[in-house]
Amino acid sequence: MASIGFIGVGNMGGPMARNLLKAGHSVKAFDLSAELVQKVVDAGGSKAANAAAAAIDVDAVVTMLPAGKHVASVYKGDGGILAAAKPGTLFIDSSTIDVKTAREVLAAAEARGMPMVDAPVSGGVAGAENAALTFMVGGSDAAFAKAKPILEAMGKKIVHAGGPGNGQVAKICNNMVLGISMIAVSEAFVMAEKLGLSAQAMFDIVSSSSGSCWALLNHCPVPGPVPTSAANRDYKPGFAAELMLKDLKLSQEAARVAKVQTPLGAEAAALFAEYVEEGNGPTDYSGIIRMIRKMAE
């Protein structure tokens, strides 16, 4: 079993850290919120005074941070965790960030002789709580092999996507598909509703037909057909709209760098930006159906 520093124990990182404890690893946690750290301590972990302290004398460090600027700040520099860690410490960044920053941070780790992977996740809060996340992992073969046993304590599917930064590439491409899919599903349900087809009939037909997709089957945006969907709890988030917008913005940034045209991705980003600007950022991303319904009035 490994000794692990965990930096960022919020909605996703907290359950992930606790699953590491359940698997028998030791966890030293740090977060700007003392309350969130205490939840890990209550589960059997320990508390680090700051980010650098979480990286001292451990076998591995996992980070789950909001954006690329936070990852770069925590990892690099004289007070960063790369400088604080002992030689050979493994680093796993499960944040969803831009590809450029991910590759720069991995290069900084490798320059110090530290194995590192970028390992963003899919599965939302429920997946984090149930150790059922999918990890999309970028990094060398050796770093991936070292990280995999730790990732397996937090997820059910671990995929090596290729070299440094490729985990982020996979994540933002996947979530662009998800955002587009939810808008398509929402538009179809609103149209069916306006034309007199019940939501249940719509679901029963589409879910077993060519229009079926993951967003429909798992996050159906109307109450009833999928009991576990956020629509049944007034769109309390499993995956918040503001996080979807963040990922769609990352997808558009990557598209510009790669010189790829993604018109549906761009439109999805614009629609989610409008939805979030209306004050819906903390609600589930499937709640965008409410905006689409208003547009149809």
Side-chain angles (χ1 to χ4, degrees), residues 208-254:
S208 57
S209 300
S210 57
S212 185
C213 63
W214 195 93
L216 170 70
L217 297 177
N218 294 273
H219 296 162
C220 182
V222 297
V226 178
T228 56
S229 75
N232 296 291
R233 53 181 191 274
D234 195 29
Y235 300 99
K236 181 180 178 182
F239 181 42
E242 57 197 0
L243 296 179
M244 173 55 79
L245 177 59
K246 169 194 166 184
D247 292 353
L248 288 169
K249 285 181 175 178
L250 288 173
S251 79
Q252 293 312 290
E253 179 182 342

Side-chain angles (χ1 to χ4, degrees), residues 186-211:
S186 296
E187 288 182 350
F189 267 91
V190 169
M191 184 165 69
E193 179 183 292
K194 291 289 184 180
L195 294 172
L197 181 64
S198 74
Q200 188 63 57
M202 175 71 173
F203 179 84
D204 291 343
I205 293 164
V206 178
S207 64
S208 57
S209 300
S210 57

Side-chain angles (χ1 to χ4, degrees), residues 157-183:
K157 189 166 187 177
I158 320 297
V159 181
H160 190 192
N166 278 20
Q168 301 297 343
V169 173
K171 173 65 184 285
I172 61 178
C173 288
N174 175 78
N175 278 21
M176 185 173 72
V177 172
L178 180 61
I180 294 168
S181 297
M182 181 52 71
I183 290 169

Side-chain angles (χ1 to χ4, degrees), residues 241 245 248-249 267-279 288 291:
L245 177 59
L248 288 169
K249 285 181 175 178
E267 183 62 20
L271 287 169
F272 270 99
E274 183 178 347
Y275 183 63
V276 170
E277 285 167 7
E278 291 177 353
I288 198 168
M291 186 179 82

Side-chain angles (χ1 to χ4, degrees), residues 1-296:
M1 294 294 103
S3 58
I4 300 170
F6 207 115
I7 301 168
V9 289
N11 290 338
M12 294 293 292
M16 291 165 66
R18 291 190 289 274
N19 282 327
L20 289 171
L21 289 166
K22 289 177 185 177
H25 300 292
S26 63
V27 174
K28 181 167 50 168
F30 174 73
D31 194 283
L32 294 177
S33 167
E35 181 182 355
L36 293 175
V37 172
Q38 190 58 46
K39 290 181 179 179
V40 178
V41 172
D42 291 344
S46 60
K47 176 172 64 175
N50 50 50
I56 295 173
D57 291 329
V58 293
D59 300 313
V61 178
V62 181
T63 51
M64 178 61 90
L65 301 167
K69 63 181 180 180
H70 304 108
V71 172
S73 174
V74 165
Y75 273 84
K76 299 195 294 182
D78 293 338
I81 60 178
L82 292 177
K86 66 185 180 183
T89 302
L90 168 69
F91 290 92
I92 299 171
D93 180 38
S94 286
S95 316
T96 296
I97 63 172
D98 61 285
V99 177
K100 180 175 180 288
T101 298
R103 289 176 172 163
E104 287 176 351
V105 173
L106 261 75
E110 290 174 353
R112 289 179 175 267
M114 307 281 200
M116 182 175 177
V117 296
D118 58 294
V121 303
S122 179
V125 175
E129 290 173 344
N130 297 318
L133 294 168
T134 293
F135 284 91
M136 297 154 264
V137 188
S140 69
D141 290 344
F144 174 74
K146 194 169 183 180
K148 189 177 181 183
I150 293 173
L151 298 176
E152 285 174 336
M154 301 180 286
K156 67 177 181 180
K157 189 166 187 177
I158 320 297
V159 181
H160 190 192
N166 278 20
Q168 301 297 343
V169 173
K171 173 65 184 285
I172 61 178
C173 288
N174 175 78
N175 278 21
M176 185 173 72
V177 172
L178 180 61
I180 294 168
S181 297
M182 181 52 71
I183 290 169
V185 169
S186 296
E187 288 182 350
F189 267 91
V190 169
M191 184 165 69
E193 179 183 292
K194 291 289 184 180
L195 294 172
L197 181 64
S198 74
Q200 188 63 57
M202 175 71 173
F203 179 84
D204 291 343
I205 293 164
V206 178
S207 64
S208 57
S209 300
S210 57
S212 185
C213 63
W214 195 93
L216 170 70
L217 297 177
N218 294 273
H219 296 162
C220 182
V222 297
V226 178
T228 56
S229 75
N232 296 291
R233 53 181 191 274
D234 195 29
Y235 300 99
K236 181 180 178 182
F239 181 42
E242 57 197 0
L243 296 179
M244 173 55 79
L245 177 59
K246 169 194 166 184
D247 292 353
L248 288 169
K249 285 181 175 178
L250 288 173
S251 79
Q252 293 312 290
E253 179 182 342
R256 285 191 292 271
V257 171
K259 298 181 180 179
V260 175
Q261 296 298 313
T262 58
L264 292 181
E267 183 62 20
L271 287 169
F272 270 99
E274 183 178 347
Y275 183 63
V276 170
E277 285 167 7
E278 291 177 353
N280 299 301
T283 66
D284 193 76
Y285 82 111
S286 61
I288 198 168
I289 192 172
R290 297 181 294 185
M291 186 179 82
I292 292 170
R293 188 176 285 118
K294 286 181 182 177
M295 292 164 63

